[in-house]
Amino acid sequence: MENIKSAPKKKRLRRIFFWAFLTLLLYMWVVNSSFLASPPDGSPFLLAHRGVAQTFHMEGITNETCTAERIYPPEHPYLENTLPSMRAAFAAGADAVELDVHWTKDSQFAVFHDWTLGCRTNGEGVTRDFTMSELKKLDVGYNYTADGGRTYPFRGKGVGLMPSLDEVLTEFPTESLLIHIKSHDPNEGKALAAFLQPLPKERLAKLAVYGGDEPVATLKQAMPELRVMSMSTMKSCLIPYIAVGWSGYVPDACAGTQLHIPDQIAPWLWGWPNRFMERMEAADTRVILVAGSGDFSQGFDTPADLNRVPEKFNGGIWTNRIDRIGPLLHKKSETK
């Protein structure tokens, strides 16, 4: 008899649960729907990875791969992380340039990708074991080859081209730069903070720093006003957002930072693209869209790649071929 009486009650509970669940799904859809969100204002900005650089094929690449030994046949005369390559990047339409830095033996910051010298230059050893003046004597184009070592098209052309960070900031006093600390040494973060702190606020507003968790944390502690990014800051922002961002909540850890979002992962973020960008903009969080899964600095490097960028996207687009993408994107903007 009790089972007969409880049956209608169970049915009512199931109906209540069903409608509550359906209401929650509807709420989540409305709150996160880009279809119902206002399109973002403004156009995307282009981030030129290492300036105008020689690119290389990605097949079988690992962290140990010397990419200078696998470049494509050169289409331009520029070498990454040099002043000429940065000038060419801005001339091609870059809104910001990414560059790599290493601490030197005489407490400067050399702008160079590798922590060792043997892959690209005619030197050997660890970058930080040399003074800036010693590094300037090296040929940064010495080992670039597109044919397995039969020819070296940049050999002899890169002597003296490794700049210091001070030279870069002097050469580009108002341009936006993204500085990459290529180590996990917290002392580098401390040294970079000491280097950047004398700069005026308006200059610091055009700079951002990313890299290892330890130096970035040390830098951020010394300069809380500076925009930074590390794996740790990304996790602190995105893990809570993935958990509860369906509600519209944006974690405080996101505020004033930078996110590099792979385009294969982006569609899984709550509210992508318009709602997500709206929320991040309100939190003063800069979003950079990178290509693929985010491995090995893949970029939007061909016209076909740009088809994967959401319409009206107004964040950053990471590219390794600003010489191709810059003129193309700006031409599209002019025709709209």
Side-chain angles (χ1 to χ4, degrees):
M1 196 72 170
E2 280 186 25
N3 288 339
I4 294 174
K5 288 182 178 180
S6 64
K9 184 177 181 181
K10 288 180 179 178
K11 286 183 179 179
R12 285 197 300 273
L13 288 174
R14 281 197 293 268
R15 282 198 299 269
I16 291 171
F17 177 79
F18 171 78
W19 286 108
F21 182 68
L22 194 64
T23 301
L24 178 61
L25 288 179
L26 180 61
Y27 171 80
M28 291 169 66
W29 182 81
V30 170
V31 168
N32 292 285
S33 172
S34 284
F35 177 74
L36 298 176
S38 300
D41 294 328
S43 301
F45 62 92
L46 290 174
L47 177 64
H49 182 217
R50 309 184 202 173
V52 176
Q54 300 299 321
T55 53
F56 45 86
H57 64 88
M58 306 291 289
E59 293 82 359
I61 193 171
T62 71
N63 287 327
E64 305 304 317
T65 302
C66 176
T67 56
E69 295 175 348
R70 52 161 60 197
I71 63 170
Y72 293 119
E75 299 176 36
H76 57 73
Y78 301 107
L79 294 169
E80 64 181 53
N81 281 312
T82 63
L83 295 180
S85 83
M86 295 177 202
R87 290 188 207 105
F90 285 119
D95 299 289
V97 165
E98 187 264 7
L99 55 102
D100 307 299
V101 297
H102 290 276
W103 207 13
T104 67
K105 188 176 180 179
D106 56 342
S107 300
Q108 297 190 57
F109 281 96
V111 179
F112 186 67
H113 180 268
D114 301 342
W115 72 280
T116 57
L117 298 169
C119 170
R120 300 177 196 281
T121 81
N122 55 335
E124 293 291 340
V126 180
T127 310
R128 63 159 54 197
D129 288 342
F130 293 82
T131 65
M132 194 67 235
S133 62
E134 290 170 335
L135 292 171
K136 279 192 170 293
K137 296 175 183 177
L138 298 175
D139 181 356
V140 297
Y142 190 80
N143 281 327
Y144 282 80
T145 179
D147 53 16
R150 289 189 294 275
T151 61
Y152 293 89
F154 297 103
R155 187 165 284 186
K157 299 177 181 178
V159 178
L161 288 187
M162 189 188 303
S164 67
L165 181 57
D166 186 54
E167 288 176 302
V168 172
L169 291 177
T170 300
E171 180 74 18
F172 306 104
T174 61
E175 287 82 356
S176 293
L177 300 169
L178 174 60
I179 301 168
H180 188 187
I181 301 181
K182 300 286 292 186
S183 83
H184 294 279
D185 184 353
N187 289 320
E188 286 200 27
K190 184 177 180 181
L192 186 57
F195 177 81
L196 295 177
Q197 279 172 330
L199 298 177
K201 289 182 179 179
E202 57 271 19
R203 185 68 189 105
L204 291 175
K206 293 287 191 77
L207 302 179
V209 178
Y210 78 116
D213 291 344
E214 298 85 353
V216 167
T218 304
L219 174 65
K220 186 65 173 177
Q221 184 176 17
M223 302 183 69
E225 73 278 17
L226 190 66
R227 190 182 299 279
V228 301
M229 189 201 83
S230 67
M231 188 58 70
S232 178
T233 66
M234 288 266 288
K235 288 179 178 178
S236 296
C237 169
L238 290 179
I239 290 177
Y241 183 80
I242 290 169
V244 295
W246 57 267
S247 66
Y249 169 75
V250 177
D252 291 341
C254 297
T257 62
Q258 182 158 303
L259 299 174
H260 291 182
I261 307 292
D263 74 325
Q264 290 181 3
I265 296 172
W268 297 97
L269 296 173
W270 296 108
W272 180 263
N274 293 358
R275 291 281 191 193
F276 179 82
M277 293 300 296
E278 181 180 76
R279 291 167 184 166
M280 295 301 126
E281 189 172 326
D284 188 31
T285 305
R286 182 180 295 161
V287 177
I288 310 292
L289 193 63
V290 300
S293 62
D295 294 335
F296 300 109
S297 304
Q298 295 180 61
F300 293 85
D301 300 336
T302 69
D305 290 338
L306 292 179
N307 294 332
R308 305 200 310 273
V309 178
E311 189 177 1
K312 303 293 186 182
F313 179 73
N314 67 345
I317 298 175
W318 181 286
T319 181
N320 300 301
R321 290 302 304 263
I322 187 63
D323 53 312
R324 290 178 180 170
I325 299 302
L328 179 64
L329 194 66
H330 286 285
K331 184 177 180 180
K332 281 186 176 181
S333 300
E334 291 171 2
T335 59
K336 287 184 178 180

